[in-house]
């Protein structure tokens, strides 16, 4: 038995049932932020979403090309 881990100490216990005022404020702010974000996503038109998707694909292709070019340059 490892006696180094056993010792007299003071243990603080938080009440489980009630959240503090700060916790409730942060929770409400977080939920409001999530709701705002989802609302912003719904406001985008289909054309805008399609354009974002195309840009994402183009960016991914360019990253892959750059990675390939750097890898080949290092091998030479």
């Amino acid at each position: 038995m490892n006696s180094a881990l056993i010792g007299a100490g003071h243990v603080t216990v938080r009440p489980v049932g009630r959240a503090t005022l700060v916790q409730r404020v942060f929770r409400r702010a977080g939920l409001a932020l999530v709701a705002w974000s989802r609302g912003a996503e719904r406001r985008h038109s289909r054309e805008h979403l399609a354009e974002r998707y195309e840009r994402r694909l183009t960016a991914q292709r360019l990253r892959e090309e750059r990675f390939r070019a750097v890898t080949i340059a290092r091998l030479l």
Side-chain angles (χ1 to χ4, degrees):
M1 180 174 178
N2 190 351
S3 62
L5 297 177
I6 300 173
H10 182 69
V11 178
T12 59
V13 178
R14 286 184 164 178
V16 176
R18 301 205 23 111
T20 65
L21 176 63
V22 174
Q23 289 171 334
R24 289 187 302 209
V25 168
F26 282 153
R27 178 175 169 80
R28 290 186 105 182
L31 291 174
L33 186 60
V34 168
W36 175 80
S37 174
R38 288 184 180 164
E41 287 177 358
R42 276 189 240 118
R43 286 191 294 270
H44 294 302
S45 66
R46 287 190 177 269
E47 294 82 20
H48 180 73
L49 294 175
E51 182 181 345
R52 283 179 55 190
Y53 178 74
E54 290 296 325
R55 286 184 181 181
R56 187 178 301 134
L57 290 179
T58 302
Q60 182 179 358
R61 181 182 52 80
L62 291 172
R63 276 193 302 272
E64 289 172 358
E65 286 178 9
R66 177 170 284 179
F67 178 77
R68 202 172 303 122
V70 169
T71 304
I72 290 173
R74 286 189 177 177
L75 291 175
L76 297 177

